[in-house]
Amino acid sequence: MLLLWLKISVKRKGSICGLVSEFYIICNSCATQSTFKSSPVFESSNHDYEISFRITYTMHTLGVGLHGIKIFCSVMDLPPPFSQKSYDRILSNIKSAIYIVVVASMNKAAKEEISASETNEICVSGDGTWKTRGQTSRIGICSIMGDISSKVIDLEVLSSY
């Protein structure tokens, strides 16, 4: 059995983009240096890191946004997060991806409803709500669900602005 003992040093260069850090591993025996980042670049972007998408999605889902990310990072003693411009760009990418999934899901639900009813005529149920009580809100949402599958077939956000 061969036992190899290497002395290595790990150095953190610092935050390179929000929550992403770059690390250097240096082998003291052979002076080989290797670097890696704490998060991979997101697949559909050349410069946004996966951790940035994950924290943006999480905090947006919780309803706290960039301000919540800043508070979280300060409490956890993490480096300051990205700028408002970066946050808006990442959130826009997330919303685009969600829209694609929602449309595909509703199309699939409509096809399931048509195949279950065995005709092109389907029975649906509609429901809507307003942002505030008393229907005085300027923002509302309406959804159409299939009678057989009970899945959402269509969805519309209404605004009088």
Side-chain angles (χ1 to χ4, degrees), residues 4 17-18 30 32 38-39 89 97-99 114-115 129 148:
L4 182 62
C17 182
C30 64
T32 304
S38 61
S39 177
R89 183 185 66 246
I98 289 172
Y99 180 77
I114 290 170
S115 67
T129 186
I148 299 170

Side-chain angles (χ1 to χ4, degrees), residues 146-158:
D147 183 46
I148 299 170
S149 67
S150 298
K151 293 182 180 179
V152 176
I153 294 174
D154 197 11
L155 177 71
E156 189 67 36
V157 177
L158 308 169

Side-chain angles (χ1 to χ4, degrees), residues 41-46 48:
V41 174
F42 198 68
E43 293 175 7
S44 64
S45 173
N46 293 334
D48 290 323

Side-chain angles (χ1 to χ4, degrees), residues 111-151:
K111 288 176 184 174
E112 286 177 15
E113 189 70 26
I114 290 170
S115 67
S117 69
E118 299 175 356
T119 178
N120 283 342
E121 294 181 9
I122 59 174
C123 185
V124 296
S125 172
D127 193 14
T129 186
W130 297 95
K131 185 177 177 183
T132 57
R133 282 188 175 184
Q135 300 178 354
T136 59
S137 176
R138 295 186 174 270
I139 299 172
I141 186 168
C142 181
S143 62
I144 303 293
M145 296 181 353
D147 183 46
I148 299 170
S149 67
S150 298
K151 293 182 180 179

